Amino acid sequence: MTASDPRLCAWVVTALLVVLMMINFADKSVLGLAADPIRKDLGLSASAFGLASSAFFLLFSICGAAVGLLADRIRPKWLLLAMALLWSVSQAPLALGGGLAVLIASRVLLGAAEGPAFPVAQQTTLSWFPNHRRNLPGALIVLGITLGVLVAAPVLTWVIHHHGWRSAVAVVAVAGVVWALLWIPFGGEGRYGTDSPALAQGAETATGPAARRTPYRRILATRTWIGATIAYFGTYWVIAFALVWLPSYLQDGLGYSSTTSAQLLMLVWGMSGIVVLGQAGLTGWLLRRGTASRWARGGAGGILMLIGAAACLALPWAPAGAVTVVLFVTGVALSGAMGSVAATTVVELAPADRRGGSLGIMNAVVTTAGLIAPTLIGHLVDAHGAGGYRYAIMITGALLLLGGSAAVTLIDPDRDARLLPA
């Protein structure tokens, strides 16, 4: 692979970043997959386990914003390499032993290292593609989340059952090191990034050559950035819920066996991946036909979220059986597309030299959902038993309703990009 073969470079980098997100979410999913063994081994209540899960997000958001800003000044290639190595190192003490204190410390450091991964990965892969070609690579980065869980669920479950949950932690740590060794020779940024010669000549920016050095505060004050952030917050709430509590919800809240629960988890994440790719294909088709991003991105993503919200709000009142499964899968799967929509929308809106910071700050706000959701749901379960999951699903439906409404009514990058230089 050489610089004279930019299309091959673009897809090799994208493939590596998809794998990075797979490892990223395999790291996150370990606690959810091993919830019962960890709680039994360490003697944790639901609230304590929820607190340990939320500890992952203690520095996640802050570091996401800080490194996002650095990504506008330091090559994202080296930032991603440092993150991958750090999150592997952070899991070593937990793999070797320790109790609740080591669990929390390991998850805090892991969260600090992984917090910037998604926005920097999106910034890097999208730097290889022009605006009208960004939907598929952006969606593939989001698909890495789904693939990470789909691969991690059977593999890590087998490791947990046969070798213990600490061995599962060791497996994902080693995977991060292997990825870093591949990233060194093959990783890098494309010509549509902030350091592109074409950009320096004003050939390809989101808002035109006059929009250099736009203050971050102006970008963050746009209706598009606000709408994308609110919508993505709802999506991330679902992700945090799914990673930490979904296996327990299926077994304790809906009464499914562990085997059926595993099958439903695979179905949910598989459908989520199909939705992400389908949304990317629809959005790309609409953009190529001249449809404004307001509808091609905000409208498509927002409508999917609104359907998911309706499914979640109906779920607590549905009779057990096929209806419950349909509503459950619909509610969780349809909410996932907004991660790709939010990232490509902000990259379209922000000037090239402000994309890393704009994505990083959005990710910092959004991922506070990961800090709140596991702890809140743990308290609801401790207070109401299995009935606590009903309240959790209703809260989730309300957040998806808010996010879908924000996406449909606020996102309009064409309008806001024109206003930024004024």
Side-chain angles (χ1 to χ4, degrees):
M1 185 179 70
T2 66
S4 62
D5 194 3
R7 285 188 292 184
L8 178 59
C9 291
W11 289 111
V12 168
V13 169
T14 299
L16 282 170
L17 292 172
V18 170
V19 174
L20 177 71
M21 295 310 300
M22 291 175 64
I23 298 170
N24 185 297
F25 274 80
D27 291 342
K28 291 181 177 69
S29 67
V30 167
L31 256 63
L33 293 170
D36 291 340
I38 292 173
R39 288 178 61 185
K40 182 179 180 180
D41 187 22
L42 302 184
L44 304 179
S45 67
S47 295
F49 179 73
L51 177 63
S53 300
S54 293
F56 175 87
F57 291 95
L58 186 63
L59 298 178
F60 190 96
S61 300
I62 296 172
C63 291
V67 177
L69 293 169
L70 282 177
D72 287 330
R73 295 166 175 80
I74 299 174
R75 286 189 64 188
K77 172 177 180 173
W78 304 121
L79 292 175
L80 288 166
L81 177 63
M83 283 185 271
L85 291 174
L86 181 57
W87 77 48
S88 294
V89 169
S90 70
Q91 297 181 90
L94 186 60
L96 296 173
L100 179 60
V102 173
L103 173 63
I104 292 176
S106 175
R107 299 302 285 184
V108 169
L109 184 57
L110 178 64
E114 292 193 347
F118 180 77
V120 179
Q122 284 281 9
Q123 178 191 12
T124 303
T125 196
L126 297 181
S127 72
W128 288 91
F129 301 89
N131 181 53
H132 67 285
R133 297 293 182 189
R134 286 174 179 154
N135 299 290
L136 179 57
L140 289 174
I141 300 301
V142 176
L143 185 64
I145 298 171
T146 297
L147 294 176
V149 177
L150 286 175
V151 173
V155 173
L156 294 182
T157 298
W158 184 89
V159 173
I160 291 165
H161 286 166
H162 290 83
H163 301 284
W165 63 270
R166 294 189 192 274
S167 296
V169 174
V171 167
V172 292
V174 170
V177 174
V178 173
W179 182 90
L181 294 175
L182 292 172
W183 181 249
I184 292 172
F186 297 115
E189 304 81 33
R191 67 189 183 93
Y192 298 102
T194 58
D195 58 348
S196 164
L199 286 172
Q201 297 169 12
E204 213 280 33
T205 68
T207 60
R212 306 296 290 177
R213 315 308 299 175
T214 302
Y216 287 111
R217 66 178 182 275
R218 296 191 61 186
I219 300 169
L220 273 52
T222 61
R223 294 174 64 187
T224 293
W225 189 91
I226 293 170
T229 302
I230 293 173
Y232 188 22
F233 181 93
T235 290
Y236 212 90
W237 180 279
V238 174
I239 292 172
F241 184 178
L243 288 173
V244 178
W245 287 111
L246 205 52
S248 299
Y249 167 60
L250 289 171
Q251 295 179 50
D252 301 332
L254 296 181
Y256 292 109
S257 67
S258 58
T259 301
T260 304
S261 296
Q263 293 172 345
L264 286 174
L265 282 173
M266 299 291 283
L267 176 62
V268 166
W269 289 108
M271 287 299 300
S272 179
I274 293 172
V275 168
V276 167
L277 291 177
Q279 173 272 318
L282 174 62
T283 295
W285 179 77
L286 290 172
L287 288 173
R288 289 191 295 273
R289 291 177 62 88
T291 304
S293 289
R294 175 183 181 183
W295 301 114
R297 288 188 169 127
I303 289 171
L304 288 173
M305 288 194 78
L306 291 174
I307 297 172
C312 285
L313 292 172
L315 183 57
W317 320 107
V323 175
T324 298
V325 172
V326 171
L327 291 175
F328 166 73
V329 172
T330 300
V332 176
L334 293 188
S335 64
M338 187 48 67
S340 172
V341 171
T344 52
T345 297
V346 169
V347 167
E348 179 182 359
L349 166 72
D353 61 343
R354 289 293 184 259
R355 289 173 184 165
S358 300
L359 287 169
I361 295 170
M362 177 180 71
N363 207 61
V365 174
V366 163
T367 53
T368 58
L371 182 65
I372 300 167
T375 300
L376 176 60
I377 295 170
H379 283 302
L380 290 172
V381 171
D382 276 344
H384 303 282
Y389 292 111
R390 171 175 290 190
Y391 295 107
I393 287 293
M394 293 176 66
I395 292 170
T396 300
L399 290 172
L400 291 178
L401 178 62
L402 176 63
S405 301
V408 171
T409 59
L410 296 179
I411 290 178
D412 190 346
D414 296 327
R415 173 201 62 209
D416 290 337
R418 290 194 299 269
L419 295 174
L420 278 178

